[in-house]
Amino acid sequence: MTSKPSRRNLLPRTGYAVLVALLVASLAPRAGAADKKKHQAGAPPVDISKLVWPGPPDVARIRYEATITGEDDVNPTTTKKKSTWMDKLAGVSMPQEEGKPRLQKPYGVAVDSKGRIYVADGGSGRVFVFDLEKKKVAIRGANQLSSPAGLAIDDTDRLFVADSAQHAIFIFREDGSLEGAFGEGWLHRPAGIALDNENRFLYVCDSAENHVVVFDADTMKYLRVVGAPSNENAVPGTFGNPTNAAVDSEGNLYVSDTFNARIQVFDAGGQFIRMWGKRGSNPGNFMRPKGIAVDGDDHIYVVDSEFNNVQIFDNEGRILMFFGDRGETPGKFMLATGIGIDKGGHVIVTEQWTGRAQIFRYVSEAEAKPEYEKQGKARDVKPQ
């Protein structure tokens, strides 16, 4: 398949070199833990209204929006009932977490047609459904799942969940009821998954078998595998712990080849197209690439759980920009892992150490164009 021509960079050329330099700095060795903690303790509160990437005077392309950890963040109006000394004396124990569920070890992310955010929580063995508009939280798979990892939602809002412990993919209807499960015998340790709604393929990264299993998304029948285990040479088309996958508008498959510290790209027929990245701290390289997603302009987002940032590439693998850093304040990450992007440009990134999901918004090419033109005209005006 002929690959799609690459899109225009997220950044104008004048700002690109600056951000590459910042990216190098962000990937450099970190200060000691004690120094980092001391610095954070004395840091002023973050003004989230100004939390954008890149920062002024460049045109912002990523904006921070919110953080969710559980029901308290979605519906904070409900008051918690605390244990009194009389309760303790009587031996009454309050429900864990005051009865309000929260994320423990989130991984995969998906968003349905109604904008509801689904987060796979391996720590609690269930999938959280955050409806931010209605300020409600629902649960999927509390009695069926053991270790949910990857998530995908089809164009009818059916939810596909990869369960690493049960070696299977579970399907839930929109109302939350279980439709069925499949993959037993074909899957060893399923991790990230991706749906090609056009070609009706479900891709499942099997991190134990070091290949990607392809199923028919309608009949759930096994079709084929993509890739094979890497040897010491790690030739193209082979994997060392493939963890996550994404599909672009042309039906090309992108796979995070975690132990080989690279991204590999295949066409819809499973043929290798290209790859990029290697282990290192230079721009565009990785230490532990995990979550991967594609936005509406076919830019590729890769979460690196070692660098705790998200690098953004064009579809040819050229680095465009990044956002994030190590830390617990908004816009920073602690063991960043999963990522999902909805049709509205919302970018959701999960963190396993802090048990939270942060929501950002991508400013599209069309939205950014007027600001680029405005800045271009301003640069053309000569001082009087």
Side-chain angles (χ1 to χ4, degrees):
M1 177 181 292
T2 302
S3 62
K4 190 175 182 179
S6 62
R7 305 278 183 166
R8 179 171 60 82
N9 282 359
L10 289 178
L11 303 171
R13 293 185 182 275
T14 54
Y16 180 75
V18 175
L19 276 186
V20 168
L22 288 174
L23 179 56
V24 173
S26 78
L27 302 183
R30 308 291 180 190
D35 292 339
K36 184 75 174 179
K37 190 173 183 180
K38 181 179 179 181
H39 172 73
Q40 287 183 344
V46 176
D47 183 353
I48 60 175
S49 67
K50 298 180 180 179
L51 205 51
V52 299
W53 295 265
D58 289 303
V59 177
R61 302 306 303 273
I62 298 290
R63 297 181 180 275
Y64 170 86
E65 289 201 341
T67 295
I68 49 177
T69 61
E71 191 174 343
D72 279 330
D73 299 307
V74 177
N75 185 14
T77 57
T78 305
T79 56
K80 292 183 179 181
K81 182 180 178 182
K82 297 182 179 180
S83 299
T84 66
W85 66 271
M86 293 184 65
D87 291 327
K88 295 176 182 178
L89 188 64
V92 176
S93 60
M94 300 304 295
Q96 187 179 11
E97 301 174 348
E98 310 291 350
K100 303 189 79 172
R102 59 169 293 142
L103 297 171
Q104 296 178 29
K105 196 175 180 181
Y107 192 91
V109 184
V111 184
D112 69 12
S113 65
K114 297 180 176 62
R116 293 175 295 193
I117 299 171
Y118 295 67
V119 180
D121 187 35
S124 62
R126 52 191 173 178
V127 176
F128 283 70
V129 185
F130 296 101
D131 190 329
L132 302 185
E133 183 178 346
K134 295 183 178 180
K135 297 183 178 181
K136 292 182 178 180
V137 179
I139 299 296
R140 299 283 188 270
N143 299 314
Q144 296 94 6
L145 301 173
S146 298
S147 184
L151 300 181
I153 296 177
D154 71 7
D155 46 12
T156 65
D157 279 346
R158 288 190 307 168
L159 173 68
F160 293 74
V161 184
D163 192 307
S164 297
Q166 298 191 65
H167 325 293
I169 306 297
F170 289 77
I171 310 174
F172 294 88
R173 301 181 184 92
E174 186 181 1
D175 63 5
S177 61
L178 180 66
E179 180 176 314
F182 66 96
E184 185 177 0
W186 296 110
L187 300 172
H188 185 178
R189 191 165 68 237
I193 61 179
L195 265 170
D196 181 343
N197 279 309
E198 185 69 25
N199 293 306
R200 307 305 299 164
F201 296 146
L202 177 72
Y203 296 103
V204 183
C205 294
D206 194 318
S207 57
E209 297 297 329
N210 290 305
H211 59 212
V212 178
V213 185
V214 188
F215 294 95
D216 186 297
D218 296 314
T219 65
M220 319 312 162
K221 291 179 61 176
Y222 166 85
L223 298 177
R224 61 180 180 274
V225 297
V226 176
S230 293
N231 57 20
E232 63 275 8
N233 297 320
V235 298
T238 65
F239 296 112
N241 191 34
T243 54
N244 292 274
V247 178
D248 70 11
S249 64
E250 293 291 324
N252 295 319
L253 171 68
Y254 297 76
V255 182
S256 292
D257 188 3
T258 301
F259 284 176
N260 289 324
R262 64 190 181 184
I263 303 301
Q264 297 199 62
V265 189
F266 303 82
D267 66 19
Q271 297 300 308
F272 174 83
I273 299 176
R274 73 180 69 90
M275 65 183 184
W276 72 82
K278 62 181 179 180
R279 198 170 307 281
S281 57
N282 292 326
N285 290 335
F286 308 104
M287 287 300 290
R288 194 171 289 273
K290 287 289 189 70
I292 187 167
V294 181
D295 70 21
D297 290 323
D298 271 354
H299 300 122
I300 315 303
Y301 295 58
V302 182
V303 174
D304 195 301
S305 62
E306 179 71 21
F307 295 143
N308 282 294
N309 67 11
V310 180
Q311 297 187 59
I312 307 176
F313 303 84
D314 68 14
N315 58 6
E316 297 290 333
R318 291 182 287 261
I319 181 70
L320 302 177
M321 63 171 286
F322 80 100
F323 64 96
D325 193 3
R326 180 180 176 83
E328 298 186 32
T329 55
K332 297 187 176 184
F333 307 111
M334 295 293 289
L335 194 56
T337 307
I339 187 170
I341 303 176
D342 69 10
K343 293 181 180 179
H346 295 98
V347 181
I348 303 98
V349 181
T350 58
E351 304 164 67
Q352 295 199 322
W353 185 262
T354 53
R356 65 183 182 181
Q358 294 193 59
I359 305 172
F360 304 85
R361 187 174 182 281
Y362 162 63
V363 180
S364 71
E365 298 281 352
E367 291 172 314
K369 184 178 179 180
E371 189 62 28
Y372 279 131
E373 292 176 345
K374 179 181 176 181
Q375 288 196 3
K377 291 177 181 179
R379 286 193 295 269
D380 290 338
V381 176
K382 296 181 181 180
Q384 299 296 322

